[in-house]
Amino acid sequence: MCSSDLEMIRAQPMDAVVLIGGCDKTVPAQLMGAASAGIPAIQLITGSMLTGSHRSERVGACTDCRRYWGRFRAEEIDAEEIADVNNQLVASVGTCSVMGTASTMACIAEALGTSLPHNAAIPAVDARRYVLAHLSGMRIVDMVWEDLRLSKVLTKEAFENAIRVNAAIGGSTNAVIHLKAIAGRIGVDLELEDWTRIGRGTPTVVDLLPSGRFLMEEFYYAGGLPGVIRRLGEANLLPNPGALTVNGKSLWANCVDAPIYDEEVIRPLDKPLIADGGICILRGNLAPRGAVLKPSAATPELMKHRGRAVVFENFDDYKARIADPDLDVDASCILVMKNCGPKGYPGMAEVGNMGLPPKILATGVKDMVRISDARMSGTAYGTVVLHVSPEARAGGPLAVVQEGDFIELDCAAGRLHLDISDEELKARLEAWAAVQTVDPADATGYRSLYVQHVLQADEGCDFDFLRGCRGSAVPRHSH
């Protein structure tokens, strides 16, 4: 997608571009393409859907979809109610109404300074969204005359602001990959350690699903992202207040007087939803190059846990066995799924938030530790370890986890450990490597190009040959 955006921008005789996107991957892809092309660009988000209502309860896609389907599988509600709630989840056009990846990347785009203030949260069908579109179109013309390109906006300081904002809003783990990929296109050195250095210790003050209670429409009415940035800035928690934005002003200048209308939705810093909402970066012999977990969506009691591994070799294996009443699993176990990373799936699908075994759900248990090299929808929740790197298909230690192994998770210490000796781990990896063959589907065509050049999760999952800025120069005609 980002490659197509880049070539579309380069192929047209344009002086600048307005990037119109909304859902999970379109916004980061557009920013990546524009960063590579190097011409002035401004992001315009399409907006989230309105709040739904089910039997007087506010509901939003897709968090409540997952919650109600979990209740249905646990036989707490019947088929009539699950059909009824499905009809209420999408109340209008727009992206998901929770703080999923779409809403997260909308907030990230605003925090990076690539859009006008309030771009993140105005609902899709609100008339103010059209006003903002008009203002964005006017502003991009001025940006041409000012030669204000993304290279002047997307600095290391801007990325640090975005990491802090992601923690404050309870943003998606997908932001880790997307920000790394965008940074790679603009030439900014962004590492997983930056998420620990900047993000950890930051309170989550936005009370939105899936971590909290409210939805994006209510977030906008409460003050939107400028209110959150004001909260951070007043407490000296905004790393770089002077970072430039596309309207020519600093991020802090845009937000210093931002009103906050509802402190239930945008909480005071001394009454946070989560005291430490920064993305947790994990390392250890199971994830030498890192893994991630979202504390605001996790069960606190499970964030330090040791359990027996129940292992699924891939997503198909998981689907085939998870509902088996004879599956050897209890609530203290850790569900492990392999071969769902960038190369293994391929495509690193959002399947990391594995549904629990029905026989566990039937006991009233709602969460278990889950580990994979996959991604997870920002609308999902649970104590889910994701982006294990290197992935199993690339020969990472995840590939050799065996049924019955014990695994230790310690979020406070940033540790993910497979309880076997170094010698045993080395022997398993050597035995694994000795029997690997090339999947015929990976040998030719686009998939061959993909698996040879896609980067790992800790590197942003971009193609290695697309990193860096290529500029907007149009080559000579070939006809």
Side-chain angles (χ1 to χ4, degrees), residues 258-292:
I260 297 173
Y261 299 111
D262 190 340
E263 292 196 337
E264 290 264 336
V265 181
I266 303 175
R267 295 185 174 208
L269 286 165
D270 60 355
K271 296 180 180 179
L273 180 67
I274 302 291
D276 184 356
I279 296 292
C280 180
I281 303 299
L282 303 163
R283 293 189 187 272
N285 68 351
L286 187 52
R289 285 168 47 181
V292 304

Side-chain angles (χ1 to χ4, degrees), residues 171-177 192 279-283 286-287 289-294 297 335 337 340-341 348-354 369-378 380-389 391 398 409 416 457-458:
S172 168
T173 51
N174 286 320
V176 179
I177 290 178
L192 289 181
I279 296 292
C280 180
I281 303 299
L282 303 163
R283 293 189 187 272
L286 187 52
R289 285 168 47 181
V292 304
L293 179 143
K294 181 179 175 179
L335 304 182
M337 184 164 60
C340 293
M348 203 178 184
E350 291 182 336
V351 294
N353 55 308
M354 294 169 267
V369 176
R370 288 154 276 180
I371 299 173
S372 76
D373 47 10
R375 296 183 303 114
M376 175 176 84
S377 168
Y381 48 88
T383 311
V384 186
V385 177
L386 304 151
H387 309 183
V388 172
S389 186
E391 64 173 302
L398 184 66
L409 167 66
L416 186 63
D458 63 307

